[in-house]
């Protein structure tokens, strides 16, 4: 598993860095559903993205996280 599973791994990173990590994570898994561990990792990335948005003025209007595929 990659470093995103470490608690707080992305919480100090910029919004652009976290968004890039989400996009890379999802691109690597394109065309398939996320497994339980991957879903947890994605949720950690989204929490880091949310924290970065909170630290970045007007960020919610300029950056959006990559979206996860729907799981059954």
């Amino acid at each position: 598993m990659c470093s995103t599973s470490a608690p707080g791994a992305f919480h100090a990173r910029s919004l652009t860095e976290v968004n890039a990590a989400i996009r890379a994570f999802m691109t690597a898994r394109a065309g398939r559903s996320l497994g339980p561990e991957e879903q947890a990792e994605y949720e950690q990335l989204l929490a880091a993205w949310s924290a970065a948005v909170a630290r970045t003025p007007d960020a919610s209007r300029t950056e959006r996280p990559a979206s996860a595929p729907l799981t059954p």
Side-chain angles (χ1 to χ4, degrees):
M1 185 169 282
C2 70
S3 63
T4 57
S5 61
F10 284 105
H11 288 278
R13 296 181 78 178
S14 75
L15 179 59
T16 301
E17 291 172 319
V18 176
N19 198 37
I22 291 170
R23 290 186 185 284
F25 179 86
M26 294 310 298
T27 298
R29 291 151 182 84
R32 66 175 179 86
S33 298
L34 298 178
E37 288 181 13
E38 292 171 319
Q39 184 65 37
E41 191 170 349
Y42 178 72
E43 289 172 12
Q44 289 177 351
L45 285 167
L46 287 182
W49 182 87
S50 181
V53 167
R55 291 189 312 270
T56 307
D58 299 324
S60 62
R61 287 183 248 164
T62 60
E63 298 273 354
R64 303 265 189 251
S67 57
L70 298 175
T71 55

